[in-house]
Amino acid sequence: MSVSAARRAAFEVVRRVFEQDAYADRALRSATQSLDARERAFAQQLAYGTVQRVRTLDQAIETLGRRPVRKLDPPVLASLRLGAYQLGYLDVAPHAAANESVELVRAARLERAVPFTNAVMRRLAEGMRQLLEQLPEGPLKHSYPDWIYETWLRDFGKDGALDLMRAQNESPETVVRLVRGEIDGEPTDVPGAYRVARVDDQALADGRIWPQSRASQVAALAVGARERERVLDCCAAPGGKAAMLRGHVTAVDLNEARARELEENVRRLGAGDVTVVQADATMLPPELDGFDRALVDAPCSGLGVLAARPDLRWRARPLPELQLALLRAAAARVKPGGVVVYSVCTLNADENEAVVAASGLEPDATLADEWPQFRHPTQPEFLLTLPHVHHTSGFFIARLRVP
């Protein structure tokens, strides 16, 4: 029996993520180049679901397979994870999942492991669904690291933490910003943001649309940039927000490759008055000063975008010291009375409210009047989008006044 092209590609992605620390989206791109659209979609569903649910899958493999996952050969473990995911979460014929997991091991030239793989897949086929049903509500059942659950438990309570975990195990809505022209999509509560069935690759290549969640678009709109103003965009790559800003925009990114990508993207999107600077935003050249506004869309743990990035939950870490340094550096380059917008795509008070408090900058409470639907539930001077409430990525957004 031969292995389907989609399963073979998913197997490659899962191995690269867990054996080589590859990013899931990049691994998928290279593994699915030769597949048609239907096969590519199935490969993505398999690979992303397996990476996302790996903690729960490993629990099932160890419980039903009766062997610690750390003792398994990497190809055997990857094939069992893929098989367990299909049995537990997809409507796939059990024999198809089992047979192809065995064939993946055989194709990896591990003939000696074929009987073991076959036996474990049989046990998983019999007991997987029941095992999942019996797991207690919490990070093991929903496949998150304990620290993320504990952070959400502290910030949102038990119900909120569980709702967040469930919501970010579902596929996020597909939203694009319409740059120019027309679109086959549904308008949303964010001007210019459209919900679509899929991203039109040609429209993207032409610069007519840009894939960007509603919450991410709000972060750029919150800057309120106007024509003829000077605007600083720190950490600007890949460029979606920079291209939304009006005025004379200086877009900064530290990484050379990302700065090049940023330049290409803003050009394709027709954002004419954007100057790209490759620099450390905490140590900008002295001539970059006297801005009217700044956007600090800071690097973060990304706990608001886990639905779109299946491997991120396993590599995420909070970055409050860097975030505070970036916010202070941007504020120092803005004129007195000017505005700094601080945004992060995470749901963690240590990186959100605490960073703003440490900056000493005064929040502009009118922000929430402009976006009442996204008003922070406990600190109404800020915005907080929640995946389980607003069905978009999780963002914290603060608009701050420079004294």
Side-chain angles (χ1 to χ4, degrees), residues 225-295:
R226 298 173 190 144
E227 302 298 341
R228 292 189 293 281
E229 287 185 331
R230 293 181 65 233
V231 184
L232 174 66
D233 183 0
C234 305
C235 321
K241 296 184 187 70
M244 292 179 69
L245 301 173
R246 292 182 181 175
H248 311 293
V249 179
T250 300
V252 178
D253 205 88
L254 174 61
N255 180 279
E256 184 182 355
R258 283 172 61 80
R260 270 201 312 273
E261 179 191 14
L262 165 61
E263 194 142 26
E264 289 165 11
N265 287 336
V266 293
R267 193 183 304 119
R268 190 167 75 247
L269 292 168
D273 201 357
V274 178
T275 302
V276 174
V277 176
Q278 186 202 337
D280 182 340
T282 64
M283 297 183 290
L284 291 173
E287 64 270 18
L288 294 183
D289 201 5
F291 290 94
D292 298 288
R293 299 171 192 265
L295 170 62

Side-chain angles (χ1 to χ4, degrees), residues 54-272:
V54 74
R55 183 178 180 184
T56 318
L57 301 176
D58 285 358
Q59 173 73 14
I61 291 165
E62 291 201 340
T63 303
L64 298 171
R66 303 175 200 138
R67 189 169 311 175
V69 293
R70 69 178 185 279
K71 292 190 174 177
L72 300 178
D73 288 317
V76 174
L77 179 54
S79 74
L80 289 174
R81 284 168 166 170
L82 275 169
Y85 175 70
Q86 293 170 74
L87 293 169
Y89 299 98
L90 298 183
D91 187 17
V92 170
H95 69 272
N99 290 346
E100 296 216 6
S101 287
V102 168
E103 291 305 319
L104 285 167
V105 169
R106 187 169 275 133
R109 297 195 175 96
L110 287 171
E111 194 67 41
R112 60 182 168 74
V114 163
F116 170 78
T117 307
N118 201 14
V120 175
M121 284 303 301
R122 274 205 314 275
R123 288 183 214 137
L124 286 166
E126 290 165 8
M128 182 77 183
R129 293 286 172 135
Q130 187 180 4
L131 181 143
L132 293 179
E133 285 168 15
Q134 291 174 348
L135 286 175
E137 284 291 343
L140 175 57
K141 183 183 183 75
H142 298 292
S143 192
Y144 285 80
D146 289 343
W147 78 267
I148 294 179
Y149 174 64
E150 287 156 10
T151 298
W152 288 345
L153 195 61
R154 178 199 68 192
D155 292 352
F156 303 105
K158 187 172 183 182
D159 288 347
L162 291 172
D163 286 343
L164 269 171
M165 288 197 296
R166 290 187 195 104
Q168 295 210 80
N169 279 342
E170 301 297 325
S171 297
E173 65 176 6
T174 304
V175 169
V176 299
R177 179 168 70 85
L178 180 61
V179 179
R180 57 182 173 273
E182 295 181 353
I183 192 168
D184 182 15
E186 175 195 349
T188 67
D189 57 349
V190 176
Y194 289 81
R195 202 173 284 111
V196 294
R198 62 175 186 84
V199 175
D200 182 332
D201 291 337
Q202 190 57 56
L204 178 60
D206 294 344
R208 290 181 278 124
I209 61 168
W210 181 257
Q212 191 174 4
S213 74
R214 286 153 51 227
S216 174
Q217 294 186 48
V218 169
L221 293 169
V223 177
R226 298 173 190 144
E227 302 298 341
R228 292 189 293 281
E229 287 185 331
R230 293 181 65 233
V231 184
L232 174 66
D233 183 0
C234 305
C235 321
K241 296 184 187 70
M244 292 179 69
L245 301 173
R246 292 182 181 175
H248 311 293
V249 179
T250 300
V252 178
D253 205 88
L254 174 61
N255 180 279
E256 184 182 355
R258 283 172 61 80
R260 270 201 312 273
E261 179 191 14
L262 165 61
E263 194 142 26
E264 289 165 11
N265 287 336
V266 293
R267 193 183 304 119
R268 190 167 75 247
L269 292 168

